[in-house]
PDB file of all heavy atoms in Angstrom:
ATOM      1  N   VAL A  76       3.175  -6.304   3.899  1.00  0.00           N
ATOM      2  CA  VAL A  76       2.050  -6.959   4.633  1.00  0.00           C
ATOM      3  C   VAL A  76       1.653  -8.312   4.023  1.00  0.00           C
ATOM      4  O   VAL A  76       1.316  -9.215   4.737  1.00  0.00           O
ATOM      5  CB  VAL A  76       0.816  -5.950   4.672  1.00  0.00           C
ATOM      6  CG1 VAL A  76      -0.414  -6.667   5.178  1.00  0.00           C
ATOM      7  CG2 VAL A  76       1.164  -4.731   5.497  1.00  0.00           C
ATOM      8  N   VAL A  77       1.713  -8.361   2.664  1.00  0.00           N
ATOM      9  CA  VAL A  77       1.205  -9.614   1.993  1.00  0.00           C
ATOM     10  C   VAL A  77       2.457 -10.609   1.761  1.00  0.00           C
ATOM     11  O   VAL A  77       3.657 -10.209   1.979  1.00  0.00           O
ATOM     12  CB  VAL A  77       0.562  -9.247   0.674  1.00  0.00           C
ATOM     13  CG1 VAL A  77      -0.796  -8.526   0.974  1.00  0.00           C
ATOM     14  CG2 VAL A  77       1.465  -8.401  -0.174  1.00  0.00           C
ATOM     15  N   TRP A  83       1.960  -7.164  -5.796  1.00  0.00           N
ATOM     16  CA  TRP A  83       2.493  -6.353  -4.618  1.00  0.00           C
ATOM     17  C   TRP A  83       3.721  -6.974  -4.081  1.00  0.00           C
ATOM     18  O   TRP A  83       4.763  -6.325  -4.023  1.00  0.00           O
ATOM     19  CB  TRP A  83       1.374  -6.343  -3.579  1.00  0.00           C
ATOM     20  CG  TRP A  83       1.628  -5.465  -2.341  1.00  0.00           C
ATOM     21  CD1 TRP A  83       2.778  -4.912  -1.961  1.00  0.00           C
ATOM     22  CD2 TRP A  83       0.667  -5.140  -1.309  1.00  0.00           C
ATOM     23  NE1 TRP A  83       2.599  -4.255  -0.747  1.00  0.00           N
ATOM     24  CE2 TRP A  83       1.301  -4.368  -0.346  1.00  0.00           C
ATOM     25  CE3 TRP A  83      -0.712  -5.450  -1.163  1.00  0.00           C
ATOM     26  CZ2 TRP A  83       0.731  -3.912   0.771  1.00  0.00           C
ATOM     27  CZ3 TRP A  83      -1.372  -4.939  -0.050  1.00  0.00           C
ATOM     28  CH2 TRP A  83      -0.730  -4.223   0.964  1.00  0.00           C
ATOM     29  N   GLN A 117      -0.339  -4.526  11.455  1.00  0.00           N
ATOM     30  CA  GLN A 117      -0.041  -3.759  10.232  1.00  0.00           C
ATOM     31  C   GLN A 117      -0.202  -2.229  10.431  1.00  0.00           C
ATOM     32  O   GLN A 117       0.520  -1.590   9.661  1.00  0.00           O
ATOM     33  CB  GLN A 117      -0.876  -4.305   9.012  1.00  0.00           C
ATOM     34  CG  GLN A 117      -2.334  -4.195   9.096  1.00  0.00           C
ATOM     35  CD  GLN A 117      -3.013  -5.159   8.153  1.00  0.00           C
ATOM     36  OE1 GLN A 117      -3.040  -6.344   8.358  1.00  0.00           O
ATOM     37  NE2 GLN A 117      -3.562  -4.604   7.054  1.00  0.00           N
ATOM     38  N   SER A 135       0.595  -0.293   1.915  1.00  0.00           N
ATOM     39  CA  SER A 135      -0.763   0.266   1.626  1.00  0.00           C
ATOM     40  C   SER A 135      -0.904   1.585   2.460  1.00  0.00           C
ATOM     41  O   SER A 135      -0.533   1.560   3.640  1.00  0.00           O
ATOM     42  CB  SER A 135      -1.757  -0.709   2.072  1.00  0.00           C
ATOM     43  OG  SER A 135      -3.049   0.002   2.211  1.00  0.00           O
ATOM     44  N   ILE A 137      -3.530   2.560   3.634  1.00  0.00           N
ATOM     45  CA  ILE A 137      -4.413   2.272   4.765  1.00  0.00           C
ATOM     46  C   ILE A 137      -3.709   1.971   5.988  1.00  0.00           C
ATOM     47  O   ILE A 137      -4.082   2.420   7.065  1.00  0.00           O
ATOM     48  CB  ILE A 137      -5.372   1.005   4.393  1.00  0.00           C
ATOM     49  CG1 ILE A 137      -6.203   1.346   3.121  1.00  0.00           C
ATOM     50  CG2 ILE A 137      -6.158   0.569   5.528  1.00  0.00           C
ATOM     51  CD1 ILE A 137      -6.893   0.099   2.603  1.00  0.00           C
ATOM     52  N   ASN A 138      -2.621   1.247   5.882  1.00  0.00           N
ATOM     53  CA  ASN A 138      -1.831   0.864   7.071  1.00  0.00           C
ATOM     54  C   ASN A 138      -1.144   1.953   7.695  1.00  0.00           C
ATOM     55  O   ASN A 138      -0.757   1.893   8.824  1.00  0.00           O
ATOM     56  CB  ASN A 138      -0.927  -0.331   6.679  1.00  0.00           C
ATOM     57  CG  ASN A 138      -1.640  -1.596   6.304  1.00  0.00           C
ATOM     58  OD1 ASN A 138      -2.752  -1.774   6.809  1.00  0.00           O
ATOM     59  ND2 ASN A 138      -1.115  -2.321   5.310  1.00  0.00           N
ATOM     60  N   ASN A 190      -2.277  -1.219  -4.678  1.00  0.00           N
ATOM     61  CA  ASN A 190      -2.988  -2.517  -4.290  1.00  0.00           C
ATOM     62  C   ASN A 190      -4.231  -2.592  -5.287  1.00  0.00           C
ATOM     63  O   ASN A 190      -4.306  -3.513  -5.960  1.00  0.00           O
ATOM     64  CB  ASN A 190      -3.332  -2.370  -2.802  1.00  0.00           C
ATOM     65  CG  ASN A 190      -3.838  -3.673  -2.203  1.00  0.00           C
ATOM     66  OD1 ASN A 190      -3.943  -4.707  -2.896  1.00  0.00           O
ATOM     67  ND2 ASN A 190      -4.267  -3.732  -0.955  1.00  0.00           N
ATOM     68  N   ARG A 193     -10.745  -1.782  -3.909  1.00  0.00           N
ATOM     69  CA  ARG A 193     -11.056  -2.796  -2.885  1.00  0.00           C
ATOM     70  C   ARG A 193     -12.512  -3.252  -3.189  1.00  0.00           C
ATOM     71  O   ARG A 193     -13.521  -2.486  -3.069  1.00  0.00           O
ATOM     72  CB  ARG A 193     -10.905  -2.225  -1.444  1.00  0.00           C
ATOM     73  CG  ARG A 193      -9.459  -1.755  -1.253  1.00  0.00           C
ATOM     74  CD  ARG A 193      -9.198  -1.298   0.198  1.00  0.00           C
ATOM     75  NE  ARG A 193      -9.226  -2.423   1.103  1.00  0.00           N
ATOM     76  CZ  ARG A 193      -8.198  -3.129   1.441  1.00  0.00           C
ATOM     77  NH1 ARG A 193      -7.010  -2.879   0.996  1.00  0.00           N
ATOM     78  NH2 ARG A 193      -8.275  -4.085   2.356  1.00  0.00           N
ATOM     79  N   ARG A 214     -14.708  -8.563   7.692  1.00  0.00           N
ATOM     80  CA  ARG A 214     -13.379  -8.208   8.234  1.00  0.00           C
ATOM     81  C   ARG A 214     -12.890  -6.964   7.501  1.00  0.00           C
ATOM     82  O   ARG A 214     -12.912  -6.805   6.301  1.00  0.00           O
ATOM     83  CB  ARG A 214     -12.335  -9.249   8.052  1.00  0.00           C
ATOM     84  CG  ARG A 214     -10.922  -8.961   8.346  1.00  0.00           C
ATOM     85  CD  ARG A 214     -10.131  -8.297   7.186  1.00  0.00           C
ATOM     86  NE  ARG A 214      -8.876  -7.808   7.615  1.00  0.00           N
ATOM     87  CZ  ARG A 214      -7.998  -7.276   6.787  1.00  0.00           C
ATOM     88  NH1 ARG A 214      -8.216  -7.163   5.521  1.00  0.00           N
ATOM     89  NH2 ARG A 214      -6.841  -6.787   7.266  1.00  0.00           N
ATOM     90  N   VAL A 216      -9.723  -3.625   7.737  1.00  0.00           N
ATOM     91  CA  VAL A 216      -8.391  -3.227   8.287  1.00  0.00           C
ATOM     92  C   VAL A 216      -8.649  -2.397   9.499  1.00  0.00           C
ATOM     93  O   VAL A 216      -9.671  -1.700   9.637  1.00  0.00           O
ATOM     94  CB  VAL A 216      -7.533  -2.514   7.267  1.00  0.00           C
ATOM     95  CG1 VAL A 216      -6.075  -2.459   7.608  1.00  0.00           C
ATOM     96  CG2 VAL A 216      -7.727  -3.148   5.903  1.00  0.00           C
ATOM     97  N   TRP A 237      -4.531  -8.744   8.551  1.00  0.00           N
ATOM     98  CA  TRP A 237      -4.632  -9.588   7.411  1.00  0.00           C
ATOM     99  C   TRP A 237      -4.219 -11.062   7.754  1.00  0.00           C
ATOM    100  O   TRP A 237      -4.887 -12.005   7.293  1.00  0.00           O
ATOM    101  CB  TRP A 237      -3.866  -9.002   6.202  1.00  0.00           C
ATOM    102  CG  TRP A 237      -3.984  -9.829   5.026  1.00  0.00           C
ATOM    103  CD1 TRP A 237      -2.928 -10.431   4.306  1.00  0.00           C
ATOM    104  CD2 TRP A 237      -5.095 -10.282   4.344  1.00  0.00           C
ATOM    105  NE1 TRP A 237      -3.378 -11.109   3.232  1.00  0.00           N
ATOM    106  CE2 TRP A 237      -4.768 -10.992   3.244  1.00  0.00           C
ATOM    107  CE3 TRP A 237      -6.455 -10.065   4.496  1.00  0.00           C
ATOM    108  CZ2 TRP A 237      -5.662 -11.645   2.396  1.00  0.00           C
ATOM    109  CZ3 TRP A 237      -7.435 -10.624   3.655  1.00  0.00           C
ATOM    110  CH2 TRP A 237      -7.008 -11.404   2.597  1.00  0.00           C
ATOM    111  N   GLU A 253     -12.839  -7.268   2.225  1.00  0.00           N
ATOM    112  CA  GLU A 253     -12.769  -6.438   1.078  1.00  0.00           C
ATOM    113  C   GLU A 253     -11.241  -6.278   0.732  1.00  0.00           C
ATOM    114  O   GLU A 253     -10.509  -5.962   1.584  1.00  0.00           O
ATOM    115  CB  GLU A 253     -13.473  -5.129   1.220  1.00  0.00           C
ATOM    116  CG  GLU A 253     -13.292  -4.446   2.575  1.00  0.00           C
ATOM    117  CD  GLU A 253     -11.987  -3.779   2.738  1.00  0.00           C
ATOM    118  OE1 GLU A 253     -11.733  -2.863   1.930  1.00  0.00           O
ATOM    119  OE2 GLU A 253     -11.174  -4.069   3.595  1.00  0.00           O
ATOM    120  N   ASN A 254     -10.910  -6.557  -0.499  1.00  0.00           N
ATOM    121  CA  ASN A 254      -9.577  -6.397  -0.996  1.00  0.00           C
ATOM    122  C   ASN A 254      -9.517  -6.380  -2.509  1.00  0.00           C
ATOM    123  O   ASN A 254     -10.459  -6.796  -3.173  1.00  0.00           O
ATOM    124  CB  ASN A 254      -8.652  -7.585  -0.464  1.00  0.00           C
ATOM    125  CG  ASN A 254      -7.707  -7.174   0.601  1.00  0.00           C
ATOM    126  OD1 ASN A 254      -6.880  -6.305   0.397  1.00  0.00           O
ATOM    127  ND2 ASN A 254      -7.844  -7.770   1.783  1.00  0.00           N
ATOM    128  N   VAL A 259      -4.515  -9.189  -4.225  1.00  0.00           N
ATOM    129  CA  VAL A 259      -4.887 -10.049  -3.058  1.00  0.00           C
ATOM    130  C   VAL A 259      -5.721 -11.193  -3.329  1.00  0.00           C
ATOM    131  O   VAL A 259      -5.495 -12.400  -3.057  1.00  0.00           O
ATOM    132  CB  VAL A 259      -5.395  -9.137  -1.869  1.00  0.00           C
ATOM    133  CG1 VAL A 259      -5.741 -10.048  -0.704  1.00  0.00           C
ATOM    134  CG2 VAL A 259      -4.401  -8.050  -1.482  1.00  0.00           C
ATOM    135  N   ASP A 280      -6.785   1.787  -3.174  1.00  0.00           N
ATOM    136  CA  ASP A 280      -5.667   1.644  -2.234  1.00  0.00           C
ATOM    137  C   ASP A 280      -4.376   1.742  -2.853  1.00  0.00           C
ATOM    138  O   ASP A 280      -3.785   0.734  -3.368  1.00  0.00           O
ATOM    139  CB  ASP A 280      -5.940   0.303  -1.511  1.00  0.00           C
ATOM    140  CG  ASP A 280      -4.938  -0.031  -0.385  1.00  0.00           C
ATOM    141  OD1 ASP A 280      -4.211   0.960  -0.046  1.00  0.00           O
ATOM    142  OD2 ASP A 280      -4.924  -1.145   0.022  1.00  0.00           O
TER     143      ASP A 280
HETATM  144  O1  X2X B  28      -5.060  -5.922   5.207  1.00  0.00           O
HETATM  145  C1  X2X B  28      -5.375  -5.773   4.015  1.00  0.00           C
HETATM  146  O2  X2X B  28      -6.619  -5.818   3.712  1.00  0.00           O
HETATM  147  C2  X2X B  28      -4.409  -5.391   2.950  1.00  0.00           C
HETATM  148  C3  X2X B  28      -3.568  -6.540   2.691  1.00  0.00           C
HETATM  149  O3  X2X B  28      -5.116  -4.980   1.821  1.00  0.00           O
HETATM  150  C4  X2X B  28      -3.674  -4.258   3.525  1.00  0.00           C
HETATM  151  O4  X2X B  28      -2.565  -4.284   3.888  1.00  0.00           O
HETATM  152  C5  X2X B  28      -4.399  -2.875   3.553  1.00  0.00           C
END
Side-chain angles (χ1 to χ4, degrees):
V76 170
V77 292
W83 184 351
Q117 60 201 73
S135 156
I137 295 171
N138 295 327
N190 191 0
R193 300 186 69 89
R214 173 270 171 176
V216 195
W237 180 237
E253 42 78 59
N254 251 303
V259 178
D280 184 11

